[in-house]
């Protein structure tokens, strides 16, 4: 079968790379993709298609694909899946009616409350000024997290240790409004604990299939300092997460969510990605994403056993599936390299045009490079975006995977690259 992956980043590269290895897959088309993906056999990129619904529909029909998998949230939140469904093409992504779980933090938090899903206390505000006035009611919180309600490309969350920091973040938002702020903001209580991302594959009216857990590293700098980013690295699985809590998450968070959607007359298809904080009160839901995580996917795919494309296609068609799991004897560490200036908060420029070194050279066993913000003709690539590439390394334990990922990252890099040397350190 031919599979279409929509998107152009490292996550889409990892998905395409993994599905290209599935038995029965003849080609993975990525639209638009990026020129780094040319390194992967059976993967083709289609840069002229663009992230446009009509162009993508024409392309999918013409290419006779048997499955469409989405990377980024934007087309999902815009409801592309509904259009492909009406064409009869299996698509592994939620319909628009379920996408609010990620698309609107305000609507999602109201939904969590309604269905008694454990989550942090919060206030809603219509704009940054109103939020500032609400801060005095947060005085007994451990800290305040300011969240823009709408989609903000992973840059809509400001984790503030105290009221003063939250006030400063809100002042900046008043002066320089950011995307995602239009439909309001949330002030949420800061939760302390360990963060974990859990991934479930779901077909309409099917039980959730647990894919695995991973830990993202959101802050730009080592030791979790600096601004939040789209993700600077990840490791999988989250070994610290006790097995018995998997059942708790399923029963108290995932199943009530699917049941709550059913009560609204909506079923869920696609990836349900729960961002959790494991606090002393147990697992608390920070947020949902309705897609694969970036960069968690780059850490999960090298560990995945089973036929992924077959599973996603069957789930899309409402069939019951099993047989997908992570290798139990290995760990994967993924390190992202970002350009100087990333995450480009409040208009800061991001450097472009640096040459990628060692591109196309053989890599160490168990390692893989997934490309994101690159341009040119493989192997002559230069940087063209915030997150440029990432190296995944599989080892028998975290230490082995980490040092392998670091040695390959040092070789496969570019001038002024920002990358963290502590991805996976907390799991050592
Ligand atoms: P989100 O986009 O909601 O996942 O937020 C981005 C990141 O901010 C999360 O991955 C957490 O690291 C952090 N965060 C969000 N909400 C909270 C919270 N209530 N307490 C502590 N950290 C949070
Ligand atoms: N890694 C977080 C995300 O994909 O949103």
């Amino acid at each position: 079968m031919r599979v279409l992956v929509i998107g152009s980043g490292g996550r889409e590269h990892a998905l395409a790379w993994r599905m290209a290895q599935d038995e029965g897959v003849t080609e993975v088309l990525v639209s638009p993709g990026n020129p780094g993906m040319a390194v992967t056999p059976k993967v083709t990129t289609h840069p002229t298609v663009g992230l446009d619904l009509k162009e993508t529909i024409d392309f999918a029909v013409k290419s006779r694909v048997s499955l469409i998998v989405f990377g980024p949230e934007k087309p999902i939140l815009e409801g592309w899946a509904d259009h492909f469904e009406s064409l009869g093409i299996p698509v592994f992504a939620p319909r628009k009616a379920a996408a609010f779980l990620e698309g609107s933090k305000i609507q999602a938090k109201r939904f969590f409350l309604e269905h008694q899903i454990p989550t942090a206390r919060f206030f809603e505000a219509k704009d940054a000024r109103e939020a500032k006035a609400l801060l005095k009611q947060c005085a007994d919180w451990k800290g305040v997290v300011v969240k823009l309600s709408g989609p903000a490309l992973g840059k809509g969350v400001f984790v503030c240790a105290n009221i003063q920091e939250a006030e400063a973040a809100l002042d900046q938002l008043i002066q320089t409004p950011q995307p995602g702020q239009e439909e309001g903001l949330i002030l949420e209580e800061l939760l302390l604990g360990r963060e974990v991302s859990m991934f479930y594959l779901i077909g309409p009216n099917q039980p959730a299939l647990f894919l695995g857990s991973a830990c993202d590293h959101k802050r730009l700098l080592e030791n979790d300092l600096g601004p939040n980013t789209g993700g600077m690295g990840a490791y999988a699985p989250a070994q610290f997460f006790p097995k018995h809590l998997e059942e708790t998450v399923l029963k108290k968070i995932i199943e009530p969510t699917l049941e709550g959607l059913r009560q609204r007359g909506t079923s869920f298809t696609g990836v349900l990605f729960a961002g959790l904080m494991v606090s002393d009160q147990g697992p608390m839901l920070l947020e949902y994403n309705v897609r694969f995580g970036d960069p968690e996917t780059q850490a999960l795919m090298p560990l995945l056993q089973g036929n992924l494309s077959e599973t996603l296609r069957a789930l899309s068609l409402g069939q019951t599936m099993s047989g997908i799991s992570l290798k139990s004897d290995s760990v994967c560490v993924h390190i992202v390299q970002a350009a100087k200036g990333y995450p480009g908060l409040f208009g800061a420029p991001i450097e472009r045009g640096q040459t990628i070194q060692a591109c196309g050279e053989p890599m160490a066993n168990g390692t893989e490079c997934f490309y994101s913000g690159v341009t040119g003709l493989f192997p002559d690539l230069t940087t063209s975006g915030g997150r440029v590439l990432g190296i995944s390394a599989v080892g028998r334990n975290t230490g082995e995977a980490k040092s392998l990922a670091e040695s390959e990252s040092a070789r496969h890099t570019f001038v002024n690259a920002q990358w963290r040397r502590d991805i996976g350190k907390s799991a050592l």
Side-chain angles (χ1 to χ4, degrees), residues 95-98 205 258-268:
R95 310 304 177 249
K96 193 162 195 226
N205 303 313
L258 298 179
E259 180 52 31
L261 290 174
R262 267 193 288 277
Q263 287 168 16
R264 294 179 163 214
T266 307
S267 66
F268 191 91

Side-chain angles (χ1 to χ4, degrees), residues 141-180:
W141 291 4
K142 293 180 215 84
V144 181
V145 185
V146 177
K147 297 186 174 184
L148 315 184
S149 183
L153 297 170
K155 295 175 204 157
V157 175
F158 303 83
V159 179
C160 307
N162 51 48
I163 303 268
Q164 292 71 34
E165 272 185 32
E167 205 162 47
L170 288 165
D171 280 335
Q172 254 184 325
L173 289 168
I174 291 169
Q175 272 169 26
T176 320
Q178 296 292 298

Side-chain angles (χ1 to χ4, degrees), residues 355-371:
T355 301
I356 313 282
Q357 298 156 17
C359 202
E361 289 178 13
M363 297 186 63
N365 268 346
T367 65
E368 205 59 50
C369 179
F370 297 121
Y371 291 95

